Amino acid sequence: MATTLITGGTVVSATGRSLADVLVDGETIRAVLEPGSELLGVDLKQSVDAVVDATGKYVIPGGIDAHTHMQMPFGGTEASDTFETGTRAAAWGGTTTIIDFAIQKYGERVEDGLAAWHEKAAGNCAVDYGFHQIIGDVNDESLQAMRGLLDEGVSSFKLFMAYPGVFYSDDAQVLKAMQVSADTGLMTMMHAENGPAIDVLAQQLLAQGKTDPYFHGIARAWQMEEEATHRSIMLANLTGAPLYVVHVSAKQAVAQIATARDGGQNVFGETCPQYLYLSLEDQLGAKGDQWGGFEGAKWVCSTPLRSKHEHHSDELWTALRTNDIQMVSTDHCPFCMKDQKELGLGDFSKIPNGIGSVEHRMDLLFQGVVDGHLTPERWVEITATTPARMFGLYGKKGVIQPGADADIVVYDPKGHTSIGLEKTHHMNMDYSAWEGYEIDGHVDTVMSRGRVIVDADAYLGKAGDGAYVRRGLSQYLL
Ligand code: DUC
Ligand code: ZN
Ligand code: ZN
């Protein structure tokens, strides 16, 4: 197997930074060495197969996006990135592992849902991938099947308190699933919004002629998120289930999570780039030349973008610093405007929910470093190390240390990335939710299990490079 030496860079981990060379042997990191080290009298630079010069750059563990929905059937259509296109875009952006959501639909067997996702992904991925399991129908059979998930390398499942008639679980179902979570150690992941109440509000708004995407954000009020977050925390408290609340956008939900954590409960929160940068007014309320008042459909996702006047984004940045929120995933769920988002013309409740960001998470969060929200160490922690620990991958992923998979990104903090359709855009979407964003940094080289798959703005990998990763139980519990 080929050997590579990454020289001259600053290796950044969750706990510090140091000048170091990284020796890669085959698919694995073999050593982290003082710069210019000889090993047993051997000049490594001369004896390895390849040298990557990282002088002046950061050398970081490959990003882990723990929340994606490749080719997910949803909202009367299907998310537009396949495992092939979506993981290739992830690679371009320095993400070397995704954890996608296999789906058990209502009336289906859990085992069949998981098998279907393996079929979609196998042989198609550019980077490694794992699965969480969506339980869309909590019943005696699925509760039993959940007990077999860990043997399949799936250590987490997701429930929805939203989307009645689709994935929705009522409180009795949540309680029963959480009892299995407490028993097995599987992480409960929760979409925490009060779906039945939201649906009533949406119908009332539509009846008043309020049909534009902006009203998606009004129907899905922060009270709906805070209430469901609180309810899920209480049910987790009662049952002893570890709870991970996905796509937190409301500052009031952050406060619920912080209170639970202060009380010693195993409750965790994830936010997404869209909640850190975008808003109800500027995006959901946007009016454009092409789409008029429907422009905002580009940013319809749930939980929704929040009002900038209420300062949710500021609170989320703070929560990322204080560890009230532990990590950032994308909830990557892309749809094109043409034929997909368009399904909701004249009725915001029919707009497929989702934003595509898998390609830009590392860059957008690095901009958080440049803007003074995060240290480089915290950037690595919330985008790679904590996702690995949270979902049972740490040691193999999320860290640069001997024995870990050689998933490594050389990131240039003096580089530049312009995001937009005609600029940096490899996701299968006909628009970019991040059009015009300028990033003061650049993904230079991406290595996935020892193979360079992106270098100098060229993609060198192929479909099928990525392998399924079996995950263990969470390594992050309090
Ligand atoms: N939210 C989204 O925006 N898309 C996919 C599913 C979800 O919960
Ligand atoms: Zn969700
Ligand atoms: Zn999601």
Side-chain angles (χ1 to χ4, degrees), residues 248-260:
V248 174
S249 63
K251 63 184 180 186
Q252 295 84 354
V254 175
Q256 293 291 338
I257 291 166
T259 303

Side-chain angles (χ1 to χ4, degrees), residues 327-362:
M327 51 186 269
V328 179
S329 314
T330 55
D331 196 9
H332 179 76
C333 191
F335 297 101
C336 292
M337 284 295 274
K338 184 99 197 69
D339 296 336
Q340 295 198 298
K341 293 282 187 179
E342 272 185 334
L343 293 168
L345 269 168
D347 180 349
F348 68 81
S349 72
K350 296 199 165 56
I351 300 169
N353 285 202
I355 289 183
S357 310
V358 74
E359 184 173 353
H360 304 307
R361 185 184 62 122
M362 300 301 287

Side-chain angles (χ1 to χ4, degrees), residues 174-186:
V174 171
L175 179 81
K176 287 180 189 172
M178 282 187 172
Q179 285 169 338
V180 174
S181 168
D183 230 29
T184 56
L186 295 179

Side-chain angles (χ1 to χ4, degrees), residues 87-414:
T87 56
R88 191 164 58 220
W92 272 103
T95 286
T96 52
T97 306
I98 63 159
I99 312 180
D100 204 85
F101 286 83
I103 299 179
Q104 176 231 10
K105 285 200 300 225
Y106 191 79
E108 259 184 15
R109 292 173 72 238
V110 172
E111 295 88 336
D112 295 343
L114 182 56
W117 253 256
H118 273 294
E119 210 162 297
K120 289 177 203 242
N124 294 321
C125 291
V127 298
D128 288 355
Y129 61 97
F131 293 128
H132 311 286
Q133 180 68 53
I134 286 174
I135 306 292
D137 187 0
V138 177
N139 56 40
D140 289 345
E141 198 192 339
S142 60
L143 288 165
Q144 191 53 37
M146 285 164 63
R147 295 180 182 276
L149 286 174
L150 193 57
D151 288 341
E152 302 298 321
V154 176
S155 58
S156 42
F157 64 90
K158 182 178 177 189
L159 303 176
F160 289 78
M161 298 167 101
Y163 303 127
V166 188
F167 296 130
Y168 176 72
S169 290
D170 65 24
D171 290 350
Q173 291 172 309
V174 171
L175 179 81
K176 287 180 189 172
M178 282 187 172
Q179 285 169 338
V180 174
S181 168
D183 230 29
T184 56
L186 295 179
M187 180 72 80
T188 301
M189 304 174 77
M190 188 61 76
H191 180 127
E193 285 186 298
N194 186 326
I198 285 170
D199 282 4
V200 170
L201 292 175
Q203 288 316 310
Q204 290 173 346
L205 287 163
L206 289 167
Q208 294 163 27
K210 295 174 174 168
T211 60
D212 278 351
Y214 176 82
F215 295 100
H216 168 83
I218 302 302
R220 304 188 93 92
W222 61 260
Q223 290 90 339
M224 302 289 102
E225 184 183 348
E226 180 181 11
E227 184 277 327
T229 303
H230 178 74
R231 191 157 28 105
S232 67
I233 288 170
M234 287 298 108
L235 292 168
N237 189 299
L238 182 74
T239 55
L243 173 66
Y244 175 97
V245 184
V246 297
H247 47 54
V248 174
S249 63
K251 63 184 180 186
Q252 295 84 354
V254 175
Q256 293 291 338
I257 291 166
T259 303
R261 289 176 58 75
D262 290 349
Q265 202 178 328
N266 272 311
V267 172
F268 311 102
E270 155 203 279
T271 192
C272 310
Q274 51 269 34
Y275 308 122
L276 294 166
Y277 286 103
L278 311 178
S279 72
L280 170 73
E281 293 83 5
D282 292 344
Q283 276 76 32
L284 276 178
K287 295 197 183 354
D289 293 344
Q290 189 181 358
W291 297 98
F294 192 65
E295 188 81 13
K298 293 176 175 175
W299 297 279
V300 164
C301 63
S302 298
T303 58
L305 304 182
R306 300 286 174 201
S307 171
K308 62 182 177 186
H309 305 301
E310 294 168 358
H311 305 291
H312 298 272
S313 305
D314 295 340
E315 298 282 335
L316 286 168
W317 281 116
T318 301
L320 280 172
R321 281 209 303 281
T322 58
N323 210 38
D324 287 335
I325 294 288
Q326 290 71 44
M327 51 186 269
V328 179
S329 314
T330 55
D331 196 9
H332 179 76
C333 191
F335 297 101
C336 292
M337 284 295 274
K338 184 99 197 69
D339 296 336
Q340 295 198 298
K341 293 282 187 179
E342 272 185 334
L343 293 168
L345 269 168
D347 180 349
F348 68 81
S349 72
K350 296 199 165 56
I351 300 169
N353 285 202
I355 289 183
S357 310
V358 74
E359 184 173 353
H360 304 307
R361 185 184 62 122
M362 300 301 287
D363 280 327
L364 288 164
L365 271 296
F366 184 73
Q367 193 60 38
V369 175
V370 175
D371 294 345
H373 295 299
L374 307 169
T375 61
E377 288 83 355
R378 186 65 178 159
W379 170 55
V380 167
E381 188 171 17
I382 64 178
T383 56
T385 310
T386 297
R389 292 177 63 200
M390 190 68 73
F391 293 115
L393 289 170
Y394 186 76
K396 189 175 163 66
K397 306 284 189 194
V399 62
I400 293 183
Q401 69 180 19
D405 283 355
D407 293 354
I408 299 171
V409 173
V410 177
Y411 195 88
D412 185 358
K414 297 199 178 64

